[in-house]
């Protein structure tokens, strides 16, 4: 593990690109994840322009520094050992604007905010996203969706940066958007901006739909506790929550992590749990459902970074 401090050469290079106010050392990542889990980031960097994002990627490539992209932290479990190298967070790139029927959102904007801007401009199409707590970039990354709608339905194009630091515009069809997936991870794209094509609508109807979806969400989901939302994807022909419920796993607790009593598809952090406990409970649920029903529950949530837990194959967004 590298010891980072203000004398570290990477720190000096980073502040030349984004200035001191946009680089934090040893940043606790718990504050940035919906599960309230995770260790610290060596270099936590918050660029304010697209050009800065490009320069940081080139720096990471040239200096062979590990590089991780963190959106709004609502679909990630960061392990207790934290993240080495650079953690890039685009939260300061959060502008949303409307031009005719198009809504153009920077990737660090919250998709909930984008849906509210659409409402104010009487544009319909983004109602489904009114309760999804991710950033626009994170929503494209996994083709987020809810209640019958998904990003694929409304995305026109996106501006991305590739692994070499080059900016390019892609059409929605270039992203292979499928149920909770896209080709963004395999191509290593960083989403900078998304353009959605919406349609003129009736403000009262749009609002009524959003209120209805919010009510459904609040009555069914344990939003009072930290969690990563639905832990598992919907297995073909089944519902993950129902399989978990019928396996008698609701209320099962490992340390401070618990299978929610309100919604079996959620694992909630009820008592300051560690990432290790949360991940152990995920694996326990997968094992039990497999034993009882022979169904493999595939994780929707991504697990990244270093630690103490023995899970092989890692994801995340890294340059090497
Ligand atoms: C209470 C709760 C309810 C939820 N409900 C839903 C729901 O109804 N439907 C649904 O689809 N999801 C839901 N989610 C999951 C989550 O909100 C979505 O997956 C969201 O799209 C994740 O976005 P994020 O910005 O939080 O991404 P993060 O969790 O920060 O990151 C997830 C992945 O996206 C990548 N990523 C983030 N930003 C970018 C970018 N700019 N460019 C490229 N890659 C990027 C990261 O590197 C990471 O690999 C829910 C989560 C919670 C906690």
């Amino acid at each position: 593990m590298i010891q980072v401090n203000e004398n570290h050469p990477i720190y000096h290079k980073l502040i030349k690109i984004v200035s001191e106010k946009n680089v934090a050392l040893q940043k606790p990542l718990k504050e940035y994840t919906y599960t309230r889990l995770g260790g610290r980031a060596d270099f936590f960097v918050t660029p304010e322009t697209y050009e800065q994002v490009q320069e940081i990627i080139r720096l990471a490539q040239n200096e062979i520094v590990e590089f991780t992209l963190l959106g709004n932290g609502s679909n990630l479990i960061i392990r207790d050992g934290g993240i080495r190298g650079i953690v890039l967070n685009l939260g300061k790139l959060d502008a949303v604007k409307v031009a005719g029927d198009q809504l153009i959102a920077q990737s660090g904007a919250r998709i909930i905010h984008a849906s509210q801007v659409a409402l104010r401009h009487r544009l319909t199409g983004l109602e489904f996203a009114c309760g999804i707590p991710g950033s626009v970039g994170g929503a494209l990354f996994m083709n987020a969706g809810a209640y019958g709608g998904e990003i694929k339905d409304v995305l026109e194009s996106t501006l991305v940066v590739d692994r070499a630091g080059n900016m390019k515009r892609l059409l929605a069809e270039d992203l292979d958007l499928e149920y909770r997936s896209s080709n963004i991870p395999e191509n290593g794209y960083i989403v900078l901006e998304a353009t959605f094509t919406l349609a003129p609508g009736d403000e009262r109807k749009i609002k009524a739909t959003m209120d209805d979806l919010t009510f459904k969400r609040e009555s069914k989901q344990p939003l009072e506790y930290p969690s990563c939302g639905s832990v598992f994807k919907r297995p073909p022909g089944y519902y993950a929550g129902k399989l978990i419920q019928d396996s008698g796993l609701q209320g099962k607790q490992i340390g401070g992590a618990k299978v929610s009593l309100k919604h079996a598809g959620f694992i909630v952090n009820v008592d300051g749990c560690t990432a290790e406990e949360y991940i152990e409970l995920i694996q326990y649920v997968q094992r039990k459902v497999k034993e009882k029903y022979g169904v493999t529950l595939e994780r929707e949530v991504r697990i990244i970074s270093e630690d103490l837990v023995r899970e092989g194959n890692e994801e995340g967004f890294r340059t090497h």
Side-chain angles (χ1 to χ4, degrees):
M1 175 173 162
I2 50 168
Q3 283 302 321
V4 298
N5 56 39
E6 285 167 5
N7 296 322
H8 197 286
I10 296 297
Y11 178 76
H12 284 283
K13 291 185 176 168
L14 284 169
I15 62 173
K16 268 198 193 142
I17 301 172
V18 292
S19 85
E20 275 176 44
K21 72 174 186 300
N22 288 320
V23 185
L25 297 169
Q26 295 293 342
K27 185 86 170 165
L29 292 171
K30 274 184 187 183
E31 300 163 16
Y32 290 87
T33 58
Y34 270 70
T35 48
R36 297 285 171 262
L37 300 173
R40 290 169 185 268
D42 288 343
F43 303 101
F44 186 82
V45 188
T46 50
E48 297 186 61
T49 67
Y50 296 164
E51 291 70 29
Q52 289 175 353
V53 176
Q54 291 179 285
E55 282 189 63
I56 294 163
I57 290 163
R58 290 190 183 123
L59 171 74
Q61 289 287 5
N62 294 341
E63 304 287 333
I64 318 181
V65 180
E66 223 171 310
F67 170 78
T68 304
L69 185 58
L70 174 64
N72 211 30
S74 64
N75 201 35
L76 277 182
I77 296 169
I78 298 177
R79 291 180 158 138
D80 302 312
I83 305 184
R84 303 288 71 78
I86 297 171
V87 172
L88 191 64
N89 176 265
L90 305 185
K92 289 187 179 167
L93 289 163
D94 64 350
V96 178
K97 64 181 184 194
V98 168
D101 296 350
Q102 292 199 319
L103 182 140
I104 300 137
Q106 289 190 315
S107 65
R110 298 183 66 193
I111 191 79
I112 291 177
H113 175 58
S115 73
Q116 288 161 348
V117 173
L119 165 67
R120 281 204 295 279
H121 286 81
R122 300 185 189 84
L123 290 172
T124 179
L126 267 179
E127 293 90 324
F128 75 89
C130 70
I132 300 178
S135 64
V136 167
L140 261 62
F141 180 93
M142 60 98 72
N143 186 26
Y147 301 111
E150 56 181 358
I151 291 293
K152 185 180 179 181
D153 302 337
V154 282
L155 185 70
E156 166 85 26
S157 66
T158 176
L159 188 66
V160 301
V161 177
D162 67 16
R163 286 192 173 119
N166 300 316
M167 233 188 274
K168 50 182 164 185
R169 184 161 290 278
L170 302 172
L171 295 175
E173 51 263 38
D174 298 329
L175 296 181
D176 295 339
L177 297 167
E178 305 271 354
Y179 172 67
R180 301 300 168 265
S181 78
S182 73
N183 63 21
I184 293 174
E186 72 199 60
N187 288 312
Y189 293 140
I190 294 182
V191 175
L192 293 178
E193 193 179 283
T195 300
F196 300 101
T197 296
L198 306 175
D202 178 293
E203 191 175 358
R204 271 176 313 174
K205 274 196 200 152
I206 300 170
K207 173 131 184 10
T209 305
M210 286 167 72
D211 288 347
D212 180 46
L213 297 184
T214 303
F215 175 76
K216 283 195 178 122
R217 198 176 274 276
E218 286 174 355
S219 53
K220 292 204 180 114
Q221 299 184 355
L223 302 178
E224 59 279 24
Y225 291 111
S227 82
C228 58
S230 299
V231 179
F232 305 105
K233 294 187 182 182
R234 197 174 55 230
Y238 298 91
Y239 287 99
K242 174 106 175 66
L243 289 170
I244 296 166
Q245 193 175 355
D246 294 349
S247 302
L249 292 168
Q250 271 187 299
K252 169 72 188 169
Q253 195 163 341
I254 295 182
K258 184 175 179 176
V259 179
S260 168
L261 293 168
K262 194 166 174 186
H263 186 316
F266 279 53
I267 291 181
V268 284
N269 177 355
V270 286
D271 191 15
C273 76
T274 61
E276 184 169 6
E277 290 163 352
Y278 201 95
I279 294 166
E280 210 180 313
L281 187 53
I282 291 176
Q283 292 168 339
Y284 180 86
V285 168
Q286 285 174 314
R287 236 181 5 258
K288 289 292 166 188
V289 168
K290 181 81 179 171
E291 275 167 28
K292 187 146 187 195
Y293 293 103
V295 178
T296 302
L297 290 181
E298 193 192 331
R299 266 193 287 110
E300 178 174 309
V301 64
R302 302 174 72 81
I303 301 177
I304 61 167
S305 72
E306 297 200 341
D307 98 4
L308 330 156
V309 185
R310 58 261 154 204
E311 197 186 45
N313 172 39
E314 256 349 284
E315 302 164 338
F317 190 106
R318 292 169 180 207
T319 53
H320 65 108

